[in-house]
Amino acid sequence: MQTMPAHAAHRDDREIETLEEFDATVAARGTLAGFRVQAVDLTDRTRELLGTDTAGAVFLGCRMREEAAAKIRADGALVFPPVPDLPFDPYRGLLYSPDELFASLADGYEATPDARAYAWFRRTRADGDVYASMLRAVHDDSMSDALDELLAGARVVGVMGGHAMERGTPEYAGAARLGRELARAGLTVATGGGPGAMEAANLGAYAAPFADGMLAEALPLLAKAPSFVPSVTDWAGAAFEVRARWPKGGPSVGIPTWFYGHEPPNPFASHIAKYFANATREDGLLARCNAGVVFLPGAAGTVQEVFDNATPNYYESRGEPTPMVLVDRAHWTRRLPAWPLLQSLARGRSMQARIALVDRIEEVPEALKHLGG
C-alpha cells in the first residue's frame, strides 16, 4: 500500500520548513547562507541566529526576536515578517491536516480556521484589495510547493465526482470501496477534497489499512449526518467520531478551495492542499494525477474536470496521455453526454487508447489497469 510521509524529501535541500530541519542544518552546516526558512517559529533560536551566517538567506513568515531580525538583516538576509490578524499563514511550508482546519469545531464550524479563512476571503475579495490578492497568491504558491514535495515519486490517481452524493447511499459506499481498493493497490488517492463522492474516496483510502469490516461499520455512523447541509458541524463531527474510533487510517490527498467555501473540506484526507484560486487548484489537481483520473457522476464541476483533463491529453502537453475512466454509462451518455464528445476528441489520437466508460464502480480498477494506469 502507498505510504506518504507527513513531509516528503525536498526537491530543493536549501528549504527549511520545520524547527527540526532548522536545528539539523545549523548543526551540520554551521551556516544558513542562501537558505530559505519558511514559516518556522524561531523565537527560541536567537542564540543560533546571532551566531550563524545568514547572508543571502530569506526568512518567510518566521517569528523571531527583534535583535535576531536586526542581525540577519545586517547580514544581508531578507526578512518577511508574519502577517498579523490573518486566519491563515500565507507562508506556510506544509499542507493542512483535518485537525488543523477543523480546530475549535466543538464551538461550531464557524469558529474553525477553515470557516474564518473563508469569511476573510469573501470580505477581501469584495474589497478588491491588492494586498489581500498578494497574500492569497503567496499562500496558494506555498500550497503547490508543499504538494509537489509530498507527492514526489508517488503514483497518484484522481477520483472526481459531485458534492451532492450523500452518506448512507449505495453510491457513496461504492465510491468508498473504490478509494479503498485503489489505496490497497499502492496508489495515492487524490480528490477535490470536499463532501460527497470526494469524501467517500478519501474515506476509502483512510479505511485501507483496516480489515474490511471497518468500512462496513463506519458507513452507518456517517449516515447519521448524511450531508453538510444544514449543519457542517454535525457532518464533520460524525467524521471525527469515525476517525477517533479507528485512528491512524491510511493517507490520501484532498485539494479543495475556498472559492467554493460553502463546501467544507472532508476530514478523511490526511493531507489537504486548500487554495483560494479555484483555477490554480483545478489545474494542479489534475496535473498531479499521473496514474489516471476516475470520474464518478457529477454536475457542472465534474464535467469541467473531464475536459480540463482531456485537453492536455489531447495536445499531449504534459507528455503521454493518462487514463480517464468515466463511471455510469447512463449518466455520461444521456443525462450529461460528455462521453460521446470525449470519444470524438480522442478519435485518431493517442489518447483514444486511454479512455474508458464503465457501468459500475467495481469495474474501475480493471479498467485503469487495462489503460495503463
Side-chain angles (χ1 to χ4, degrees), residues 213-288:
M214 174 268 178
L215 186 57
E217 290 183 57
L219 289 170
L221 294 176
L222 292 169
K224 293 186 295 185
S227 172
F228 63 97
V229 177
S231 173
V232 175
T233 305
D234 292 346
W235 174 85
F240 279 102
E241 180 183 345
V242 168
R243 283 167 42 102
R245 184 165 173 180
W246 292 280
K248 299 180 181 179
S252 67
V253 175
I255 307 180
T257 173
W258 279 295
F259 184 81
Y260 298 134
H262 60 285
E263 297 179 18
N266 80 73
F268 291 111
S270 53
H271 305 281
I272 301 175
K274 190 152 192 180
Y275 287 83
F276 288 105
N278 186 51
T280 304
R281 167 252 189 177
E282 288 276 9
D283 185 65
L285 168 57
L286 294 166
R288 291 173 174 88

Side-chain angles (χ1 to χ4, degrees), residues 157-160 178 291-297 306 309 313 322-328 332 339 342 354-361 363-373:
V157 61
V159 180
M160 310 297 150
L178 172 63
V293 184
V294 180
F295 298 92
L296 302 177
V306 169
N309 196 52
N313 281 347
T322 52
M324 300 176 66
V325 181
L326 278 61
V327 181
D328 190 332
W332 293 118
W339 174 250
L342 186 62
R354 292 300 184 95
I355 64 172
L357 174 66
V358 299
D359 279 317
R360 298 180 299 111
I361 282 177
E363 299 173 69
V364 168
E366 186 59 34
L368 278 173
K369 189 182 301 182
H370 177 72
L371 296 177

Side-chain angles (χ1 to χ4, degrees), residues 71-341:
K71 181 266 180 187
I72 63 178
R73 286 192 186 100
D75 280 352
L78 288 176
V79 179
F80 293 80
V83 181
D85 303 321
L86 273 184
F88 63 95
D89 181 359
Y91 300 116
R92 60 179 298 120
L94 305 176
L95 300 182
Y96 294 100
S97 70
D99 291 327
E100 185 177 6
L101 286 177
F102 284 101
S104 304
L105 183 64
D107 298 324
Y109 173 67
E110 295 306 316
T112 66
D114 185 65
R116 290 189 291 112
Y118 178 48
W120 177 90
F121 175 48
R122 292 183 67 187
R123 184 177 66 253
T124 58
R125 184 174 57 170
D127 292 343
D129 182 357
V130 67
Y131 176 58
S133 297
M134 181 196 73
L135 293 175
R136 293 196 296 268
V138 170
H139 170 275
D140 285 2
D141 193 64
S142 297
M143 284 289 100
S144 294
D145 182 63
L147 193 57
D148 284 338
E149 290 172 1
L150 178 77
L151 295 178
R155 294 181 65 230
V156 182
V157 61
V159 180
M160 310 297 150
H163 68 267
M165 183 186 288
E166 291 193 343
R167 297 166 173 175
T169 63
E171 293 78 12
Y172 183 96
R177 289 193 295 271
L178 172 63
R180 183 177 65 184
E181 185 162 351
L182 294 172
R184 286 177 174 175
L187 297 165
T188 295
V189 173
T191 78
M198 297 170 279
E199 181 192 53
N202 288 127
L203 166 64
Y206 186 90
F210 300 101
D212 289 357
M214 174 268 178
L215 186 57
E217 290 183 57
L219 289 170
L221 294 176
L222 292 169
K224 293 186 295 185
S227 172
F228 63 97
V229 177
S231 173
V232 175
T233 305
D234 292 346
W235 174 85
F240 279 102
E241 180 183 345
V242 168
R243 283 167 42 102
R245 184 165 173 180
W246 292 280
K248 299 180 181 179
S252 67
V253 175
I255 307 180
T257 173
W258 279 295
F259 184 81
Y260 298 134
H262 60 285
E263 297 179 18
N266 80 73
F268 291 111
S270 53
H271 305 281
I272 301 175
K274 190 152 192 180
Y275 287 83
F276 288 105
N278 186 51
T280 304
R281 167 252 189 177
E282 288 276 9
D283 185 65
L285 168 57
L286 294 166
R288 291 173 174 88
C289 294
N290 53 18
V293 184
V294 180
F295 298 92
L296 302 177
T302 310
V303 172
Q304 177 183 341
E305 288 164 343
V306 169
F307 292 103
D308 279 348
N309 196 52
T311 300
N313 281 347
Y314 179 90
Y315 289 111
E316 300 187 40
S317 55
R318 294 178 186 144
E320 186 179 349
T322 52
M324 300 176 66
V325 181
L326 278 61
V327 181
D328 190 332
R329 187 176 301 273
H331 184 84
W332 293 118
T333 61
R334 294 199 294 274
R335 286 191 287 275
L336 293 173
W339 174 250
L341 179 53

